[in-house]
């Protein structure tokens, strides 16, 4: 029996997608071989590759002057690739330091060139975000980098800074495709697939063409967005299994009302958990500023570490996995990505309510 999987990533995938993969894995539609055994330059793979790109354009309303790229190395490689490509001499990379993931992006950018932190959430232990309107890039800014959803801290930007001519760069690893984004407000978006889009192994980069073509020439080929854009992400062998699975996840999402549809569902799922937290303030607590609560990663604490341990083990006995908070912060975390059904969130909310009533 499948469990409700609340892991933060890799994380739950639509069961329909897993079943289809199982069905097709050894023989793709009577072709006599698997999709992951064929050349990445064969027509068989090419149709999946190009349809996946088209589905991104369609589902996220990506304007034509943006390229969708599939790159290896995780979102972590993008922490370095972004400054390598966009941080030109005489300019400064600007960052909002909103938590652990933004912090890692900052550290990597510092190895490439000058960095300015426009806002740092340290004082609040990274439980809140600045007012978007208060953020103004400097005249020498190469770009402004934000993390749309901090997977560990459980905070999520609701509105983004307006950066004018300065490209806004976003790490959307943990909330891409979970809500509507106005793509034209961003110069570059990146996201590891293993939360909302598919298995680990591919990172999706959405980049405005003028930024892609401006990649410096003194970088190894794989590190230049220009090469990936010109070669349609086929400069080298792409992560074919991950792209193949993503194709299925995107079709699954489209059939369920696309991003607009899932956004409403995601709000209901998160709302169910936050409402139990708010109704039981003596038992559950959320460290996060209410204005920026994440709809993807709900973090919460119980009155003691001992109760947290009991909570996690009872949850597991009840078929709910992956609720332990990140090792850096402790506590509990429920990740409610697109493939988590409403019933899963409701089952957790009911379990939390019962647990509080019994132990509180
Ligand atoms: N950014 C965010 C917001 C993340 O949640 C993660 C992974 N959990 C990463 C970056 C790093 O991603 P990867 O492991 O794909 O390098």
């Amino acid at each position: 029996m499948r469990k409700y999987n609340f892991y933060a990533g890799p994380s739950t995938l639509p069961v329909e997608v897993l079943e289809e993969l199982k069905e097709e894995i050894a023989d793709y539609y009577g072709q006599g071989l698997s999709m992951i055994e064929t050349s990445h330059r064969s027509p068989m793979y090419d149709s999946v590759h190009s349809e996946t790109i088209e589905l991104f354009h369609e589902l996220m309303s990506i304007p034509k002057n943006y390229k969708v790229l599939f790159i290896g190395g995780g979102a972590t490689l993008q922490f370095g690739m972004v400054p390598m490509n966009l941080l030109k001499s005489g300019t400064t990379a600007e960052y909002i330091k909103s938590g652990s993931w933004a912090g890692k992006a900052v550290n990597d950018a510092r190895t490439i060139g000058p960095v300015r932190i426009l806002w740092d959430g340290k004082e609040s232990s990274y439980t809140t975000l600045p007012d978007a309107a208060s953020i103004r890039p400097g005249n020498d800014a190469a770009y402004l980098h934000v993390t749309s959803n901090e997977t560990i801290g459980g905070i999520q930007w609701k509105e983004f800074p307006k950066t004018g001519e300065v490209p806004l760069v976003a790490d959307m690893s943990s909330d891409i495709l979970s809500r509507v984004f106005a793509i034209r407000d961003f110069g570059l978006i990146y996201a590891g697939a293993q939360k909302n889009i598919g298995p680990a192994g591919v990172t999706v980069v959405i980049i405005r063409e003028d930024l892609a073509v401006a990649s410096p020439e003194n970088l190894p080929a794989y590190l230049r967005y220009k090469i990936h854009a010109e070669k349609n992400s086929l400069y080298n062998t792409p992560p074919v299994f991950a792209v193949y699975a993503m194709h299925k996840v995107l079709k699954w999402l489209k059939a369920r009302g696309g991003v607009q549809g899932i956004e409403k569902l995601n709000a209901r799922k998160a709302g169910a958990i936050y409402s139990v937290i708010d109704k039981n303030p003596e038992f559950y607590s959320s460290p996060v500023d209410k204005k920026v609560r994440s709809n993807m990663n709900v973090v919460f604490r119980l009155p003691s570490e001992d109760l947290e341990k009991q909570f996690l083990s009872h949850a597991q006995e009840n078929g709910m996995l992956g609720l332990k908070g990140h090792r850096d912060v402790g506590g509990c975390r429920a990740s409610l990505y697109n493939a988590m059904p409403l019933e899963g969130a409701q089952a957790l909310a009911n379990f939390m309510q019962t647990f509080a009533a019994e132990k509180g």
Side-chain angles (χ1 to χ4, degrees), residues 11 13 74-75 173 176 191-204 242 246:
S11 46
L13 286 171
S173 292
I176 190 167
Q194 66 271 23
K195 300 164 200 303
N196 272 323
I197 342 180
V202 64
T203 304
V204 177
M246 250 182 359

Side-chain angles (χ1 to χ4, degrees), residues 1 21 32 184 193 197 210 282 305:
M1 196 195 94
L21 287 168
R184 67 179 56 77
I197 342 180
D210 59 301
E282 66 302 324
E305 286 191 13

Side-chain angles (χ1 to χ4, degrees), residues 88-321:
K88 302 282 159 60
S89 131
T91 66
T92 301
E94 295 189 326
Y95 282 76
I96 303 293
K97 205 170 162 194
S98 50
S100 311
W101 293 111
K104 288 195 169 151
V106 166
N107 292 346
D108 277 3
R110 284 200 167 117
T111 69
I112 309 296
V115 168
R116 184 183 306 125
I117 308 293
L118 287 197
W119 186 89
D120 190 333
K122 194 164 179 231
E123 258 177 41
S124 76
S125 306
Y126 300 103
T127 55
T128 189
L129 287 167
D131 176 12
S134 71
I135 301 297
R136 300 229 185 281
N139 292 333
D140 63 340
Y143 58 85
L144 170 65
H145 180 285
V146 295
T147 308
S148 57
N149 183 75
E150 284 283 356
T151 322
I152 296 175
I155 58 177
Q156 187 173 37
W157 287 86
K158 304 298 171 184
E159 271 174 49
F160 292 92
K162 294 268 176 276
T163 56
E165 294 294 296
V166 174
L168 180 60
V169 173
D171 174 359
M172 291 191 184
S173 292
S174 47
D175 66 354
I176 190 167
L177 289 167
S178 74
R179 56 178 172 144
V180 175
F181 293 102
I183 306 300
R184 67 179 56 77
D185 292 346
F186 298 86
L188 189 157
I189 290 164
Y190 62 91
Q194 66 271 23
K195 300 164 200 303
N196 272 323
I197 342 180
V202 64
T203 304
V204 177
V205 174
I206 301 166
I207 182 169
R208 222 172 56 209
E209 268 163 2
D210 59 301
L211 296 175
V213 297
S215 300
E217 278 170 26
N218 62 347
L219 286 176
Y222 196 82
L223 300 178
R224 300 180 67 205
Y225 292 123
K226 181 169 192 257
I227 301 283
H228 292 286
E230 280 173 1
K231 304 289 182 191
N232 196 27
S233 302
L234 292 163
Y235 171 71
N236 71 330
T237 318
V240 291
F241 180 77
V243 174
Y244 169 42
M246 250 182 359
H247 179 243
K248 294 194 180 301
V249 174
L250 296 183
K251 284 198 295 184
W252 173 90
L253 179 58
K254 185 176 164 180
R256 275 155 192 79
V259 177
Q260 282 84 355
I262 211 88
E263 178 168 15
K264 290 197 196 90
L265 193 68
N266 286 335
R268 285 179 67 194
K269 280 152 44 181
I273 312 293
Y274 286 121
S275 121
V276 176
I277 295 172
D278 292 342
K279 274 195 220 137
N280 297 276
E282 66 302 324
F283 196 76
Y284 294 111
S285 60
S286 156
V288 171
D289 177 359
K290 279 194 180 174
K291 293 195 296 291
V292 297
R293 281 174 163 181
S294 168
N295 280 353
M296 292 283 101
N297 310 98
V298 179
V299 299
F300 54 96
R301 306 260 3 184
L302 275 69
S304 69
E305 286 191 13
D306 182 49
L307 278 167
E308 284 171 355
K309 268 199 198 123
Q310 289 183 41
F311 175 85
L312 294 171
S313 81
H314 285 212
Q316 191 156 349
E317 284 159 21
N318 283 275
M320 287 175 259
L321 305 181

